[in-house]
């Protein structure tokens, strides 16, 4: 198997093009009241701005239960020409209300949902899988191509641990790549350690928001383990400036980490999307940040990050995920959080 699974069908890795590894077209969360992304027309306009800024593809990083709209994403992909890779899995604990339906599912049942999203297709509505599957404009299933989990600041809750176990099960069965949300890059080694005990090699994992801790030594440690570094904090001067991210990227490349870097924007708020009336929008990465990065490290390394690295990360790699976890239905759950 040598494929990248997009919402409109499987894609040859060699033809993927330039990839923004982390954005959101739809997202609804109790942490984002008043900042939701749920307007198909506006999200289409924003996706077109991203496409025009120089990107050919993106990961839509919204996982289960947070306002996904797979059919709308498929329509956006078709109308803009932007290849979109959708996400299954679950975010960190804080994004889900105390009574959210995902909390009633243990790791095995979550893994079943994730595998259905990857293999058969995502549900039309982002509520539960006991309903019709989403379809592309051509009538094909809309399937996910990436697994996601998340943890909090120096903390892995029982809910988050269940998701990590479920993601490991789904990865072992498919070879689909994994994105893990980190808070300020804390517990990066601990997440890799846990996933390794579950059979997942670091080479299958991107650590989202790694750049929130701009420590080249830490990043090169993670690279030495084989993990991917997700740099997605541009246009956030209240926390880290673009200048710091440029310095970090240059230092990590000088230390031998070029082959492990992915770049995205993770703009993720209606107040930050031009089409929703905010700023700086999805085009900022391509029109404002990447020219500065090219001036710093050169065109070749930028192409490596956007094209070669992204294609390697997104390609499903069955047989390289370590040992397969047992699949008996009576296997005890780890850290069950009802």
């Amino acid at each position: 198997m040598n494929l990248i699974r997009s919402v409109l069908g499987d894609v040859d890795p060699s033809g993927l093009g330039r990839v923004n590894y982390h954005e959101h077209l739809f997202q609804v969360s109790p942490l984002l009241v008043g900042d939701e992304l749920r307007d198909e027309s506006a999200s289409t306009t924003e996706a077109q701005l991203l496409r025009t800024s120089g990107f050919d593809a993106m990961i839509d990083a919204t996982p289960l239960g947070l306002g996904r709209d797979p059919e709308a994403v498929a329509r956006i992909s078709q109308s803009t020409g932007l290849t979109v890779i959708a996400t299954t899995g679950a975010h960190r604990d804080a994004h889900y209300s105390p009574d959210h339906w995902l909390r009633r599912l243990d790791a095995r049942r979550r893994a079943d949902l994730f595998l259905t999203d990857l293999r058969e297709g995502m549900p039309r509505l982002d509520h539960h899988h006991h309903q019709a599957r989403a379809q592309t404009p051509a009538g094909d299933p809309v399937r996910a191509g990436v697994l996601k989990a998340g943890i909090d600041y120096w903390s892995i809750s029982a809910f988050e641990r269940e998701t990590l176990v479920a993601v490991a099960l789904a990865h072992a069965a498919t070879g689909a790549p994994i994105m893990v949300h980190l808070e300020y890059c804390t517990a990066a080694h601990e997440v890799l350690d846990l996933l390794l005990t579950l059979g997942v090699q670091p080479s299958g994992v991107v650590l989202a928001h790694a750049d929130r801790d701009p420590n080249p030594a830490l990043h090169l440690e993670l690279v030495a383990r084989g993990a991917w570094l997700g740099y997605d904090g541009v246009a956030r001067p209240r926390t880290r400036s673009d200048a710091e991210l440029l310095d970090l990227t240059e230092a990590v490349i000088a230390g031998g980490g070029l082959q492990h870097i992915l770049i995205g924007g993770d703009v993720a708020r209606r107040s930050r999307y031009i089409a929703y009336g905010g700023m700086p929008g999805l085009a900022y990465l391509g029109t404002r940040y990447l020219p500065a990065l090219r001036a710093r490290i050169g065109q070749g390394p930028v192409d490596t990050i956007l094209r070669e690295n992204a294609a390697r990360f997104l390609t499903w790699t069955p047989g390289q995920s370590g040992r397969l976890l047992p699949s008996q239905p009576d296997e005890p759950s780890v850290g069950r959080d009802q």
Side-chain angles (χ1 to χ4, degrees), residues 11-124:
V11 177
D12 186 323
S14 65
L16 189 62
R18 296 154 296 187
V19 182
N20 178 326
Y21 106 95
H22 193 160
E23 297 294 356
H24 299 265
L25 294 175
F26 295 89
Q27 186 168 246
V28 178
S29 164
L31 295 185
L32 303 172
V33 176
D35 236 347
E36 300 89 350
L37 299 171
R38 58 184 2 154
D39 183 315
E40 182 177 345
S41 176
S43 290
T44 300
T45 299
E46 200 70 36
Q48 186 61 61
L49 292 173
L50 177 63
R51 182 81 171 93
T52 303
S53 75
F55 285 93
D56 304 297
M58 62 165 277
I59 296 176
D60 183 346
T62 303
L64 268 168
L66 295 181
R68 293 189 314 182
D69 192 337
E71 288 192 347
V73 171
R75 289 190 292 267
I76 290 171
S77 178
Q78 183 179 68
S79 66
T80 62
L82 187 69
T83 299
V84 181
I85 296 91
T87 300
T88 187
H91 214 309
R92 65 187 177 102
D93 199 322
H95 278 283
Y96 299 94
S97 62
D99 60 349
H100 197 283
W101 59 267
L102 262 174
R103 296 188 183 277
R104 298 192 294 272
L105 305 183
D106 64 10
R108 181 66 60 189
R109 287 182 288 171
R110 291 184 204 180
D112 288 342
L113 293 187
F114 302 166
L115 285 168
T116 298
D117 280 357
L118 293 166
R119 290 170 166 168
E120 300 175 27
M122 296 178 283
R124 183 171 294 160

Side-chain angles (χ1 to χ4, degrees), residues 80-305:
T80 62
L82 187 69
T83 299
V84 181
I85 296 91
T87 300
T88 187
H91 214 309
R92 65 187 177 102
D93 199 322
H95 278 283
Y96 299 94
S97 62
D99 60 349
H100 197 283
W101 59 267
L102 262 174
R103 296 188 183 277
R104 298 192 294 272
L105 305 183
D106 64 10
R108 181 66 60 189
R109 287 182 288 171
R110 291 184 204 180
D112 288 342
L113 293 187
F114 302 166
L115 285 168
T116 298
D117 280 357
L118 293 166
R119 290 170 166 168
E120 300 175 27
M122 296 178 283
R124 183 171 294 160
L125 300 176
D126 193 29
H127 179 261
H128 204 281
H129 276 224
H130 296 298
Q131 58 179 280
R133 299 271 171 246
Q135 294 185 340
T136 70
D140 297 318
V142 183
R143 295 183 290 182
V146 174
L147 291 154
K148 185 172 182 178
I151 68 166
D152 215 321
Y153 182 76
W154 281 119
S155 172
I156 304 176
S157 72
F159 175 87
E160 292 159 355
R161 186 175 293 268
E162 286 287 281
T163 297
L164 286 163
V165 173
V167 160
L169 287 166
H171 172 79
T174 63
I178 297 170
M179 176 187 297
V180 179
H181 166 100
L182 302 178
E183 287 288 293
Y184 299 97
C185 199
T186 59
H189 280 297
E190 287 77 4
V191 163
L192 294 178
D193 290 343
L194 174 58
L195 286 172
L196 195 59
T197 68
L198 297 170
V200 179
Q201 298 298 317
S203 58
V205 181
V206 61
L207 300 168
H209 319 316
D211 56 323
R212 305 307 201 270
D213 182 352
N215 178 356
L218 169 63
H219 291 213
L220 290 172
E221 290 174 3
L222 299 170
V223 162
R225 299 187 66 171
W228 295 91
L229 303 172
Y231 290 174
D232 47 38
V234 300
R236 288 175 172 82
R238 286 194 304 177
T239 51
R240 297 291 179 187
S241 72
D242 288 1
E244 287 178 291
L245 182 51
L246 290 168
D247 289 344
L248 171 67
T249 306
E250 185 175 36
V252 171
I253 289 174
L258 172 62
Q259 304 294 327
H260 293 261
I261 296 171
L262 299 173
I263 290 179
D266 190 28
V267 184
R269 305 284 191 278
R270 67 180 302 124
S271 59
R272 299 179 189 165
Y273 278 53
I274 299 294
Y276 283 85
M279 64 177 75
L282 295 188
Y284 180 95
L285 181 63
T287 61
R288 301 274 290 277
Y289 180 75
L290 288 184
L293 184 63
R294 291 187 186 99
R296 183 71 70 91
I297 66 173
Q299 180 68 49
V302 171
D303 283 344
T304 295
I305 293 167

